[in-house]
Amino acid sequence: MRKDAKSLLDRLNRNDLTYREFDDALSDVEPWPIFKALLGDASVVGLSAAPALAQGTTLPVPAAELRLPAQVPVARDAVDFFAHYASAPAPVAPRPADAPPTNVRALLGRLAGDN
Amino acid sequence: MPLILVHSPKGGVGSTFVAAQLALHLARKGHQVSAIDFTFQDSLKLFFNMLPSQSLLDMVDTQSEALVVSGVSLANGHTLSRDPAFHDLLLQTDGTPFGGDRITIADVASDDRALKALLLPHAVLHICVLMPRPASLATLTKIEPGTPAVELKKTVFVLNHLDDRRRLSRDTHSFVRELFGPQLIGTIRRDEAVNEALAMFEPIEKFAPTSAVLPDLLALCGAVEERCGLVAPLDRLADAGRLPA
């Protein structure tokens, strides 16, 4: 047991802690857009439920409070993307002589607290 | 006896932790339990207080015996999971390699969807661990292609790293509970003591006996037992009046 936990228990004159879970009321749930996105996704809730849930029929969060961001535009320039890679020079791995020397012994020494 | 499959489409959410704790719990209840680490990471052993340098029995090694730690027979199935003969065995419809009295818990890497698909027909339960993070929630769309997550018969969900002090975490709990109902079989509160115990190579029960994680794990394991219809040998003896309940 951590010292601070033991100290607290000693002050409370107890041997253990009792945990209690406080459930949020659904009406208090923040309307995070990702929740709306999932509720409108057929692969999560099914084809029949997705539209209804997305409209807020049985939402845990009032639909009116949920705002999905506009779809992020996706550029369809994959060909150009790969062409860029094809024309780019191949990366050159650093030669051992270029690489900074790693002193493993010194590193281990630092980890062990040696100075 | 059943195969319990632990797989999440998002890595790093605590699937291995849940697999290990479930195996330990069932072994404590008197079940014969095997836990198979099908991942390349080979990190299941850490939850059994083994060193990174220690190796589990490779399941393709037929000469060695499995290591038993805290009553759980441990093995590494990563090499086996790449063996076509193993795939053929799993594809056979006239039986299962996971028979007998032993409960097998399979820890499958998040990106190994092919193995998950092969094991699922043999499993009595698929545990999918989630975290209250958008990247984890987003993978709910990828649990099982072709079947909505809320309609999966074998799949149950566990919300790990729950932190009631964080608004998104609290709201995610409410959301997932509402979305999945009884499919959400457990929540595990976030406690750094889990990592600290791992770093100490000690069980959580010993390192942090007052950790909030412990009652959560107990409740989760009880829910899994109930869901799988497992009656522990120790409970059977207690019911028969041969042991105090």
Side-chain angles (χ1 to χ4, degrees):
Chain A
M1 185 186 304
R2 282 170 43 158
K3 284 180 185 170
D4 53 351
K6 188 170 187 318
S7 167
L8 176 62
L9 287 171
D10 288 344
R11 276 192 286 161
L12 294 172
N13 198 26
R14 300 189 58 148
N15 297 321
D16 202 349
L17 294 169
T18 304
Y19 295 93
R20 181 177 166 192
E21 187 170 318
F22 296 90
D23 288 340
D24 271 5
L26 289 176
S27 56
D28 294 336
V29 172
E30 186 92 9
W32 301 96
I34 192 167
F35 295 166
K36 174 76 178 286
L38 292 170
L39 290 170
D41 194 313
S43 62
V44 177
V45 296
L47 276 175
S48 56
L53 285 173
Q55 288 167 19
T57 308
T58 56
L59 271 177
V61 181
E65 296 177 19
L66 292 168
R67 293 286 179 271
L68 270 181
Q71 293 257 346
V72 177
V74 180
R76 302 195 178 279
D77 56 353
V79 174
D80 291 342
F81 177 80
F82 289 117
H84 168 75
Y85 267 78
S87 61
V92 179
R95 290 174 297 160
D98 296 333
T102 304
N103 189 334
V104 178
R105 192 179 296 277
L107 177 62
L108 291 174
R110 284 206 302 278
L111 288 173
D114 298 342
N115 291 316
Chain B
M1 278 298 221
L3 168 70
I4 299 175
L5 173 61
V6 185
H7 173 269
S8 304
K10 176 81 179 71
V13 293
S15 297
T16 302
F17 166 64
V18 167
Q21 295 301 328
L22 183 58
L24 287 164
H25 171 84
L26 292 173
R28 276 195 292 267
K29 294 288 290 282
H31 291 287
Q32 292 183 56
V33 184
S34 292
I36 304 176
D37 187 343
F38 281 107
T39 74
F40 174 74
Q41 297 171 39
D42 193 23
S43 56
L44 182 74
K45 63 188 179 189
L46 296 180
F47 294 95
F48 292 83
N49 315 126
M50 291 174 65
L51 301 173
S53 58
Q54 289 179 293
S55 299
L56 298 180
L57 165 77
D58 193 324
M59 293 184 76
V60 296
D61 177 4
T62 55
Q63 303 300 315
S64 305
E65 291 187 0
L67 197 64
V68 178
V69 181
S70 303
V72 179
S73 177
L74 295 168
N76 188 299
H78 182 255
T79 308
L80 181 72
S81 71
R82 268 61 191 157
D83 187 340
F86 183 57
H87 298 174
D88 291 343
L89 181 68
L90 294 176
L91 287 169
Q92 288 176 9
T93 54
D94 57 344
T96 177
F98 303 100
D101 290 336
R102 184 166 286 276
I103 300 171
T104 302
I105 295 172
D107 178 30
V108 177
S110 59
D111 62 350
D112 202 348
R113 297 179 59 81
L115 179 63
K116 182 243 178 175
L118 285 167
L119 289 172
L120 189 60
H122 300 273
V124 68
L125 193 69
H126 163 219
I127 298 174
C128 178
V129 183
L130 302 170
M131 277 174 64
R133 306 275 186 277
S136 175
L137 294 176
T139 60
L140 285 173
T141 62
K142 299 179 181 298
I143 306 288
E144 188 67 37
T147 308
V150 297
E151 295 175 12
L152 294 168
K153 301 298 181 199
K154 286 186 181 178
T155 301
V156 292
F157 296 90
V158 175
L159 189 58
N160 189 23
H161 267 221
L162 192 60
D163 188 342
D164 286 338
R165 297 168 302 174
R166 309 288 176 190
R167 190 162 186 85
L168 179 58
S169 183
R170 272 200 318 271
D171 290 348
T172 299
H173 185 195
S174 299
F175 173 76
V176 171
R177 191 174 52 212
E178 193 71 14
L179 181 64
F180 289 118
Q183 267 183 291
L184 178 68
I185 61 165
T187 56
I188 304 170
R189 279 166 284 189
R190 181 178 187 176
D191 188 352
E192 186 60 16
V194 172
N195 282 323
E196 292 170 350
L198 267 188
M200 295 290 286
F201 297 109
E202 285 185 3
I204 305 170
E205 294 86 346
K206 182 182 174 195
F207 180 78
T210 56
S211 171
V213 165
L214 294 173
D216 292 347
L217 288 172
L218 198 61
L220 168 64
C221 295
V224 170
E225 284 181 291
E226 189 179 336
R227 186 92 181 195
C228 296
L230 299 173
V231 180
L234 295 180
D235 288 344
R236 268 189 235 124
L237 289 172
D239 288 345
R242 292 164 61 186
L243 274 180

